[in-house]
Amino acid sequence: MTAKAKLLSDYRSPEFTIDQIDLTIELEPQATRVTSVMQVRRQGRHNNPLVLEGEQLQLQSVAIDGRMLDATGYSQTDTHLTIAEVGDAFELNIVVMINPQANTSLEGLYLSDGAFCTQCEAEGFRKITYYLDRPDVLARFTTTIIGDASQFPFMLSNGNQVAKQQLDDGRTAVTWQDPFPKPCYLFALVAGDFDLLEDSFQTMSGRHVTLQLFVDKGNLDRADYAMASLKNAMAWDEQVYGLEYDLDIYMVVAVDFFNMGAMENKGLNVFNSKYVLANARSATDQDFNGIESVIGHEYFHNWTGNRVTCRDWFQLSLKEGLTVFRDQCFSEDMTGSAVNRIDDVAIIRSHQFAEDAGPMAHPIRPQSVIEMNNFYTVTVYNKGAEVIRMMHTLLGADGFRRGMDLYFERHDGQAVTCDDFVQAMEDANAFDLSRFRTWYQQAGTPEVSVTDHYNAETQTYTLNFSQQTPATADQSDKTATHIPLRIGLYDDTGAAIPLNTEAKLTDGNVYSLLTESASVTFDHVKTAPTPALLKGFSAPIKLNYQYSDVQLLTLAQHCEDGFTRWDAIQSLLARYIWQIADGETSTLPQNIIDGVLAIASDGEIEAALKARLLQLPTVNGLVNQRQQIDIHPLLNALDVIREQLASALYDCCLALYQQLQQPDYQLDAESIAKRSLSASCLGWIAAANPPAADQLCVALYNNSDNMTEQLNALTIANRFDLASRNSLMDQFEQRWQDDGLVMDKWLNLQGCWNSEQCFGNLAKVEGKPFFKLTNPNRARSLIAGFSAMNYRYFHAQDGSGYQWLAEKIQNLNSINPQIAARLINPLTQWRKFTAPQADQMKAQLEQIYQLSDLSKDLQEIVGKSLGH
Ligand code: B3K
Ligand code: ZN
């Protein structure tokens, strides 16, 4: 059956609402009974029947105001229960049976390693019982969980525990009450045996909040960082936004089977254990960062998402874009480093630009959706965060805070739209955001082209801007949008030139480009300057300006903005990578090599930034710069540049590497930065001199006591296929084979092994006892490691890489449609590639599209990619 799209323009307010729901859930792995008692009210004047959503439920009984309905009183389909005759206000009682053990989709109620847990966002509650499963129906929930307390010592749900009793049959009943009305996507239940880390937080008004972190038995020594991050996040939200936590208890449960990072259920977050569990031995610096940001993210949702929620799922960016922006700012404040911004931009350029240019292009507020789970995208999340950041840039920190205050004053307790948010920002600041709203309506990456003119006589400098957004798969007509450009001008020595202009610049020299074209003239400019036009990546756009190599080197070496420095080097290197790929040249000019070397040896540049400045452009980032790609010449060109730079950087990197060794492991910003630069140096050493790097990798792996350095050694041995690669991989496997989370790192390396043996090796790895396709972390580590990072073999000339991925997708289609839909992404980009790759990729998609049990998730994505 072909699934139908829902449209934003078809939104209607609900015909009924539910004020209160009392749930009783009797846990049994294969036969859980769910009894719900709901207080339902008709909304508005109409005589329509009550239509509830429900999937994979076995209906036992329906009663209204205590009166059982017989089968003539209602009708059922695979997806709905319709009750024809209902009054204006009534009590509805429904009993259903469900089978959590058979639920491998990890949506609804399922089992994760023997523990019951739920995932309801976006539309999973309908797999638990019949309900009005939409975010604009807000009810008070009371939940009673009944189960065997010896098996499930912890039975948790949202809000506060209000009762616990032993039943006559030996089972235990625990009742939870959540005082805040909420949409059902925020419902959660967890039952299992865990170790518990407990702490508390005193809020700014003096209330004590109990903090509880539940982890798998034996993992308490990995829970401290998550707890510390939670307390930091609570304090940060009070300081920056004046927002205080609102319940007496905040619980976080870490589970091993989870589709995404985590879920912000009211008072009871459920987390992928990857974003909770960490200690120095088992987790990398990057893992610790991920924990801080995801713990922060879910906590921040308590206000941006839970207290004020979305009217409908098209408004997802209302809570996600805003909350990603908040977690990015939190991480920036915690690490106090400019490089967070560079890493955030790299995600936009490598992944979001690809989405904008591909078959699934959609605005941050989509207009048409078949499967909502397909829209938890880098566009809704990360571009959504960029859109919020632009408002912050335009209004300033104080203006943005005024807007947030007004937003909560107006909408606390409501389900609202993205327009409501922008309106609050606009009203609180009397700032015209009418053109800015285009960002919510239009997909695609705007391109701003800039030309300039310097007049030596009048000492004036003019910048001419024009903007254009290319057509996307979902929309052909585009209009001009509001683009904030943070500008700087520099003289030949790299010194900043003060900006004098009659044009209106907002705080921090931000120019608002509002029309298709516009010009700005600066006075008192004594020499022809080098412009920086998108400082801090002030807008998620592509900027075209014909920089000379020398101008880019000036910015790379002298600009005060870390992003601009990084961007300048990336542009320079990309320029020559393309020239080599196109056969126009074979080498990097000496002045660029010297420039990069000057950066590597500059003692003034802080280590974290230097590590970024020494990065090569990513393959994805490069692929997004052109319409169509012949992938193998591009990969070869990258290798040429890498080798050339490596031999120039070798001595410097070797010296730096030695200087950077630290006697003890510390988890502070400076030590992290040093480890990151030291890894970058080791990479350059390996590219120049594999035997030398091999020795260093073995020494690092053996002498180090922390996962960051050990994994750096392993990553480089694997990336450059060094002599010790296999033995190091074996050692790692021996040491960690019983630890799934750690083995994810190994699986990922196996996936991206740049070796002719990689296919035979993949088959071996799939047979390992710790590899399970049913576990999303395991599946993702190996499959995405190969298909999103192992370019040479994923794009193997005979198409075997595509075939391998297609086989995994076919298996995952029936196990876990959400994960299948995410992992298929590299194949859906087939139009980007030249023949024969494009045809081979397309052929695999066509086969998948023929599957008789193809999920809605894949139907939407594969269908769009094939143009159906
Ligand atoms: N809100 C959840 C995501 C739910 C995804 C459903 N497929 C996590 C987050 O963004 O915080
Ligand atoms: Zn979120």
Side-chain angles (χ1 to χ4, degrees):
M1 198 181 70
T2 336
K4 264 189 62 186
K6 275 193 192 162
L7 305 182
L8 167 60
S9 55
D10 287 345
Y11 174 82
R12 298 287 175 275
S13 55
E15 295 183 330
F16 292 88
T17 195
I18 300 172
D19 296 315
Q20 167 80 33
I21 171 168
D22 299 303
L23 276 168
T24 303
I25 302 185
E26 295 169 72
L27 298 172
E28 267 310 321
Q30 296 183 53
T32 290
R33 177 190 301 272
V34 181
T35 304
S36 66
V37 180
M38 295 166 272
Q39 309 306 322
V40 188
R41 242 178 338 113
R42 191 182 294 274
Q43 301 276 86
R45 289 159 65 90
H46 63 85
N47 291 317
N48 296 339
L50 174 68
V51 184
L52 302 172
E53 281 83 27
E55 284 172 21
Q56 295 161 36
L57 308 172
Q58 270 185 304
L59 182 62
Q60 306 292 300
S61 64
V62 186
I64 288 188
D65 292 330
R67 183 177 48 85
M68 275 307 186
L69 301 191
D70 64 22
T72 60
Y74 57 85
S75 63
Q76 249 182 301
T77 66
D78 281 352
T79 52
H80 290 93
L81 174 71
T82 303
I83 308 174
E85 304 276 325
V86 292
D88 288 344
F90 53 96
E91 182 176 286
L92 176 62
N93 185 322
I94 294 180
V95 181
V96 301
M97 298 296 292
I98 53 181
N99 182 352
Q101 191 169 295
N103 182 354
T104 56
S105 71
L106 313 187
E107 188 186 53
L109 178 67
Y110 65 92
L111 284 166
S112 168
D113 271 341
F116 283 93
C117 69
T118 54
Q119 172 55 37
C120 294
E121 186 179 1
E123 298 177 329
F125 193 73
R126 65 188 61 186
K127 291 182 171 177
I128 296 175
T129 189
Y130 285 104
Y131 200 71
L132 293 173
D133 189 356
R134 47 188 289 169
D136 55 356
V137 170
L138 279 71
R140 283 202 168 76
F141 278 66
T142 300
T143 308
T144 300
I145 310 168
I146 299 178
D148 175 356
S150 63
Q151 235 185 317
F152 308 114
F154 296 100
M155 294 196 257
L156 315 173
S157 191
N158 318 86
N160 305 307
Q161 185 178 317
V162 293
K164 182 170 185 172
Q165 64 175 127
Q166 178 104 29
L167 304 181
D168 292 344
D169 57 11
R171 294 184 300 171
T172 300
V174 181
T175 302
W176 292 82
Q177 211 167 48
D178 182 356
F180 291 93
K182 65 168 176 287
C184 63
Y185 83 85
L186 290 172
F187 169 77
L189 176 156
V190 174
D193 193 3
F194 302 100
D195 276 343
L196 168 61
L197 178 67
E198 207 167 29
D199 207 329
S200 73
F201 180 82
Q202 186 174 6
T203 69
M204 58 188 184
S205 70
R207 284 188 310 105
H208 284 273
V209 180
T210 300
L211 309 177
Q212 294 186 327
L213 229 159
F214 298 87
V215 298
D216 273 357
K217 288 264 171 203
N219 277 316
L220 267 187
D221 64 332
R222 297 192 191 182
D224 295 331
Y225 193 77
M227 184 62 90
S229 302
L230 176 58
K231 288 165 48 181
N232 287 339
M234 296 176 88
W236 186 87
D237 220 10
E238 292 184 348
Q239 277 154 22
V240 180
Y241 289 104
L243 296 172
E244 190 175 334
Y245 187 61
D246 52 9
L247 283 166
D248 299 332
I249 181 166
Y250 190 89
M251 295 173 282
V252 171
V253 185
V255 299
D256 285 334
F257 285 67
F258 204 69
N259 281 345
M260 323 81 52
M263 178 64 212
E264 70 264 26
N265 316 299
K266 184 79 190 187
L268 176 56
N269 288 184
V270 179
F271 268 63
N272 186 326
S273 52
K274 174 178 168 56
Y275 292 107
V276 173
L277 300 179
N279 60 22
R281 276 182 199 289
S282 65
T284 62
D285 296 339
Q286 214 184 342
D287 294 327
F288 283 105
N289 272 336
I291 290 171
E292 182 176 75
S293 85
V294 179
I295 288 271
H297 182 97
E298 305 313 327
Y299 176 73
F300 302 141
H301 265 317
N302 190 55
W303 278 95
T304 51
N306 302 2
R307 288 288 287 256
V308 184
T309 193
C310 302
R311 185 194 72 172
D312 56 77
W313 288 121
F314 298 100
Q315 317 294 332
L316 180 61
S317 204
L318 172 82
K319 72 178 179 82
E320 295 305 347
L322 178 54
T323 306
V324 171
F325 171 69
R326 276 153 53 68
D327 86 52
Q328 289 177 350
C329 295
F330 168 60
S331 294
E332 280 164 34
D333 287 351
M334 290 298 114
T335 54
S337 164
V339 300
N340 289 56
R341 185 66 191 136
I342 294 175
D343 297 344
D344 293 340
V345 175
I347 295 176
I348 294 278
R349 285 191 173 159
S350 293
H351 303 288
Q352 200 283 321
F353 284 5
E355 195 157 82
D356 261 342
M360 275 289 287
H362 54 276
I364 62 168
R365 181 181 56 208
Q367 282 143 10
S368 158
V369 164
I370 292 179
E371 169 52 60
M372 189 54 214
N373 285 323
N374 286 337
F375 287 83
Y376 287 75
T377 58
V378 66
T379 298
V380 167
Y381 274 62
N382 301 61
K383 184 177 178 181
E386 293 299 319
V387 170
I388 301 289
R389 187 182 286 268
M390 285 191 284
M391 284 189 260
H392 188 274
T393 299
L394 291 167
L395 303 171
D398 294 344
F400 188 80
R401 170 68 195 266
R402 276 195 294 279
M404 289 289 276
D405 289 350
L406 184 60
Y407 173 65
F408 292 120
E409 193 183 310
R410 283 182 179 169
H411 300 299
D412 187 14
Q414 298 175 4
V416 305
T417 63
C418 298
D419 276 332
D420 293 321
F421 180 84
V422 179
Q423 195 64 50
M425 285 290 151
E426 195 164 46
D427 293 348
N429 293 284
F431 190 101
D432 182 2
L433 290 168
S434 46
R435 172 118 329 212
F436 189 85
R437 285 178 163 80
T438 327
W439 286 103
Y440 286 89
Q441 292 143 16
Q442 253 174 212
T445 309
E447 292 181 22
V448 172
S449 298
V450 187
T451 57
D452 59 352
H453 178 70
Y454 177 66
N455 185 330
E457 252 168 53
T458 55
Q459 300 205 329
T460 55
Y461 177 67
T462 303
L463 288 166
N464 307 304
F465 299 101
S466 66
Q467 64 160 301
Q468 183 250 342
T469 303
T472 48
D474 64 328
Q475 291 165 331
S476 46
D477 294 336
K478 308 285 179 182
T479 56
T481 186
H482 185 159
I483 302 180
L485 299 165
R486 195 185 290 277
I487 296 175
L489 300 181
Y490 301 86
D491 69 18
D492 289 346
T493 69
I497 301 171
L499 300 190
N500 292 300
T501 176
E502 282 173 12
K504 189 172 174 300
L505 301 185
T506 45
D507 267 4
N509 293 330
V510 176
Y511 173 69
S512 279
L513 176 61
L514 290 155
T515 47
E516 262 166 37
S517 57
S519 299
V520 181
T521 297
F522 298 92
D523 306 313
H524 310 301
V525 183
K526 300 206 170 55
T527 54
T530 293
L533 299 160
L534 193 63
K535 283 164 69 173
F537 197 64
S538 57
I541 60 161
K542 292 185 180 173
L543 190 116
N544 308 313
Y545 169 81
Q546 287 305 314
Y547 281 107
S548 67
D549 288 359
V550 171
Q551 284 183 309
L552 286 172
L553 282 170
T554 303
L555 290 177
Q557 278 160 358
H558 304 292
C559 189
E560 81 293 351
D561 174 44
F563 160 75
T564 301
R565 300 183 75 171
W566 173 79
D567 190 32
I569 301 191
Q570 294 273 307
S571 307
L572 265 176
L573 297 179
R575 176 177 289 176
Y576 286 93
I577 290 167
W578 285 119
Q579 287 189 16
I580 294 173
D582 295 343
E584 289 164 8
T585 182
S586 55
T587 53
L588 202 53
Q590 193 57 44
N591 63 335
I592 295 180
I593 297 178
D594 293 343
V596 177
L597 186 55
I599 284 168
S601 28
D602 185 338
E604 299 287 297
I605 303 176
E606 57 132 355
L609 178 61
K610 194 184 277 187
R612 270 55 175 197
L613 297 181
L614 295 178
Q615 285 169 343
L616 282 176
T618 64
V619 177
N620 281 345
L622 290 162
V623 165
N624 293 335
Q625 291 177 355
R626 289 207 171 167
Q627 283 278 331
Q628 233 190 8
I629 311 298
D630 191 357
I631 185 75
H632 290 285
L634 174 63
L635 297 175
N636 295 339
L638 252 167
D639 285 348
V640 169
I641 295 264
R642 180 181 296 108
E643 272 170 36
Q644 234 197 312
L645 275 176
S647 51
L649 291 174
Y650 181 72
D651 292 333
C652 174
C653 282
L654 198 57
L656 258 179
Y657 181 78
Q658 269 138 12
Q659 273 168 36
L660 287 163
Q661 297 316 304
Q662 306 175 69
D664 311 306
Y665 172 85
Q666 301 287 340
L667 191 63
D668 53 50
E670 196 188 325
S671 314
I672 294 171
K674 283 185 176 169
R675 282 191 287 274
S676 131
L677 180 55
S678 136
S680 148
C681 291
L682 191 53
W684 288 112
I685 295 168
N689 184 345
D694 194 53
Q695 282 189 5
L696 293 175
C697 284
V698 173
L700 182 62
Y701 187 88
N702 289 328
N703 299 337
S704 149
D705 58 353
N706 65 82
M707 181 56 75
T708 306
E709 288 177 333
Q710 290 194 316
L711 194 69
N712 287 342
L714 208 52
T715 302
I716 284 158
N718 186 64
R719 167 70 190 78
F720 294 91
D721 205 10
L722 302 179
S724 60
R725 185 261 175 201
N726 288 346
S727 82
L728 291 180
M729 289 294 278
D730 290 348
Q731 276 185 56
F732 191 93
E733 182 187 359
Q734 287 302 317
R735 166 71 182 85
W736 295 107
Q737 56 194 327
D738 299 325
D739 190 320
L741 269 188
V742 178
M743 286 313 285
D744 284 338
K745 304 176 192 309
W746 183 91
L747 288 167
N748 186 259
L749 292 177
Q750 296 288 10
C752 56
W753 190 22
N754 185 17
S755 155
E756 277 169 9
Q757 299 166 52
C758 92
F759 287 107
N761 187 55
L762 284 173
K764 260 200 262 163
V765 169
E766 286 174 77
K768 296 279 182 185
F770 47 80
F771 180 76
K772 296 188 190 86
L773 218 44
T774 50
N775 182 299
N777 290 2
R778 297 312 92 78
R780 219 182 340 248
S781 299
L782 182 68
I783 298 173
F786 176 70
S787 55
M789 293 163 79
N790 196 341
Y791 301 95
R792 206 171 278 285
Y793 293 98
F794 177 61
H795 294 287
Q797 297 288 1
D798 63 357
S800 47
Y802 309 140
Q803 195 182 340
W804 185 86
L805 176 59
E807 280 164 16
K808 304 307 135 214
I809 300 298
Q810 300 198 11
N811 292 334
L812 280 167
N813 173 55
S814 40
I815 300 173
N816 188 329
Q818 275 184 58
I819 298 297
R822 293 217 161 230
L823 292 177
I824 200 173
N825 180 56
L827 279 178
T828 65
Q829 306 291 326
W830 64 274
R831 285 178 209 268
K832 269 286 198 195
F833 298 91
T834 48
Q837 280 80 12
D839 304 327
Q840 293 165 341
M841 292 165 96
K842 183 169 177 231
Q844 295 298 341
L845 288 172
E846 269 160 357
Q847 272 201 20
I848 292 171
Y849 203 62
Q850 298 308 320
L851 287 179
S852 56
D853 62 340
L854 190 67
S855 67
K856 239 167 83 169
D857 312 55
L858 281 177
Q859 246 183 66
E860 177 167 42
I861 289 182
V862 180
K864 279 189 180 160
S865 173
L866 290 171
H868 291 315

